[in-house]
Amino acid sequence: MHAVMFENYGEFPVLTEVAKPRPKPGEVLLRVAGAGACHSDISVYRIFEEGDPGAQEPPFVLGHENAGWVEELGPGVSERIQVGSAYLAYGPIGCGQCRKCVAGLETYCENVASMPYLAVGLGRDGGMAEYMTVPAHHLVPLGDADPVAAAPLSDAGLTPYHAIKESLPHLAGGGRYALAIGLGGLGRIGVQILKALTGATVIATDVKEEARARAESDGAVTVGAGEDQVERIRALTGGRGVDAAFDFVGATPTLVTAMASMAQGGRCNLVGIAGGTHEFSFFANPYETYVTTTYWGSVPDLWEVVDMYRAGQIRPEVERFAMDDALEAYRKLEAGEVNGRAVVMPNSS
Ligand code: NAD
Ligand code: ZN
């Protein structure tokens, strides 16, 4: 079958032929409908070197946000899973036995150091192929929802959802402000989730004007780039600053902007993995500001994301690519030319 492979550190992926996988006990075989191209993949194949934190040994099939139709049940899988029906696949794969994994938060598996991979598409073969295998308890039913449009939910939806849910205590009540920086795959959906779950004024920024315009159509107030960006953000809050910030880029300038925009006692969520740093010291930050990283989310979170999608509260904008054009999806993503999320459809020509 056709697959998009990450073959060597530092090299662009290739479209190649691999054997169709077989589901192991507890797994299903999924006929992939859609596999999203995430900016993290660029770090995986372009930036990470062997031994780096997060680096996963090639070769493997890319694609960590996937949806498709169940083709076959592996040994021991409950027949509650319906062959032929559409499901979204949770990506992270932990040990399955520690306290984090049994709570569905496999991103934070306590035995990650001894796991051979992080997730489907991250060390283990992912969804940029006609078929993939997935642990059955990672499937979330999609009903009659379009699995191609839904594919980005399993990362570009789940990651902002988890960070926003953890930040809700800071955004509850009147007169609250949230800041979203970077309005691509994750940030665009992040704005939609903030609007649906909180009454906060959502301030959003991106270097791309089209990205800002789309966030405005979702109800955000936007601020462009520029020297006085922090002053303009703070002015929108009456000078107080934002109660929660979500940095969906994670470069030093965006992290510095997020931290300089915080209200006292706010929560700054670092989501993007661009590797930026920021000084933490007594006078460098507003008092009692919480600073945290956040990685993906839990299986129960993903069920809630699908509920929001089916209720029309999350509306992923997808640019569809046939399998033959999968590498073009990555080229466009690297060039900043994708609007919303690029989704590869391995089973449509
Ligand atoms: P994307 O390429 O779809 O979108 C990035 C957006 O950021 C683009 O709209 C771009 O114009 C904008 N941007 C870039 N530099 C900017 C700057 N200096 N100021 C303002 N806007 C800027 O990327 P994505 O797939 O949404 O991923 C976003 C980041 O999140 C990446 O670093 C990715 O690796 C990371 N990520 C993290 C997790 C996690 O669990 N923490 C999960 C998925 C992705
Ligand atoms: Zn991702």
Side-chain angles (χ1 to χ4, degrees):
M1 61 173 189
H2 284 78
V4 178
M5 290 288 279
F6 161 48
E7 291 195 326
N8 291 299
Y9 286 115
E11 287 179 15
F12 196 70
V14 296
L15 194 54
T16 184
E17 284 291 316
V18 299
K20 185 176 168 182
R22 303 281 327 266
K24 294 196 175 73
E27 296 180 347
V28 303
L29 182 69
L30 204 62
R31 185 168 164 260
V32 181
C38 175
H39 207 106
S40 298
D41 292 332
I42 300 174
S43 294
V44 165
Y45 65 71
R46 186 71 80 199
I47 294 171
F48 290 163
E49 292 171 11
E50 189 170 356
D52 281 352
Q56 295 297 305
E57 190 69 27
F60 57 87
V61 178
L62 289 172
H64 58 260
E65 52 177 36
N66 312 295
W69 305 275
V70 170
E71 178 90 358
E72 187 189 326
L73 306 183
V77 172
S78 163
E79 289 186 0
R80 288 176 197 276
I81 303 281
Q82 290 173 353
V83 173
S85 292
Y87 291 85
L88 187 64
Y90 176 77
I93 299 184
C95 73
Q97 292 300 322
C98 72
R99 74 192 87 192
K100 293 290 166 50
C101 284
V102 296
L105 199 55
E106 297 194 31
T107 39
Y108 298 146
C109 173
E110 292 173 342
N111 296 313
V112 66
S114 59
M115 288 294 295
Y117 40 69
L118 291 178
V120 293
L122 292 169
R124 165 174 162 150
D125 285 342
M128 295 256 172
E130 288 159 62
Y131 295 92
M132 71 184 298
T133 56
V134 184
H137 67 285
H138 284 186
L139 297 177
V140 182
L142 285 170
D144 57 4
D146 173 13
V148 177
L153 297 176
S154 70
D155 184 12
L158 177 58
T159 301
Y161 180 78
H162 181 78
I164 291 164
K165 200 174 161 190
E166 293 293 312
S167 304
L168 286 179
H170 297 270
L171 295 171
R176 305 292 166 131
Y177 294 88
L179 173 64
I181 302 178
L183 308 170
L186 273 66
R188 173 92 195 272
I189 294 178
V191 167
Q192 295 172 357
I193 294 170
L194 282 165
K195 290 301 291 183
L197 295 189
T198 79
T201 300
V202 179
I203 303 169
T205 183
D206 195 291
V207 287
K208 279 162 60 180
E209 193 181 337
E210 319 85 81
R212 296 199 299 272
R214 283 195 292 279
E216 278 172 24
S217 73
D218 287 330
V221 179
T222 66
V223 170
E227 291 280 292
D228 59 345
Q229 192 183 39
V230 170
E231 286 73 50
R232 282 179 286 136
I233 292 168
R234 294 195 82 89
L236 288 168
T237 70
R240 198 170 62 82
V242 301
D243 302 284
F246 303 87
D247 181 356
F248 294 111
V249 180
T252 294
T254 55
L255 188 54
V256 167
T257 297
M259 286 301 293
S261 303
M262 298 307 299
Q264 289 183 6
R267 175 176 163 119
C268 180
N269 299 270
L270 174 55
V271 184
I273 64 170
T277 58
H278 182 262
E279 180 192 343
F280 182 76
S281 64
F282 197 87
F283 292 113
N285 307 288
Y287 294 121
E288 297 198 0
T289 301
Y290 297 77
V291 187
T292 185
T293 54
T294 180
Y295 173 48
W296 229 329
S298 72
V299 180
D301 288 338
L302 192 58
W303 282 75
E304 293 171 11
V305 167
V306 171
D307 287 341
M308 292 184 73
Y309 171 65
R310 299 190 71 183
Q313 293 170 312
I314 296 176
R315 303 167 297 278
E317 183 184 342
V318 302
E319 200 171 326
R320 296 168 191 245
F321 292 83
M323 192 60 168
D324 287 347
D325 301 324
L327 300 182
E328 172 65 3
Y330 279 114
R331 189 203 62 74
K332 288 186 82 170
L333 183 64
E334 285 196 53
E337 293 171 8
V338 174
N339 294 322
R341 198 58 147 188
V343 176
V344 173
M345 303 176 296
N347 283 292
S348 95
S349 47

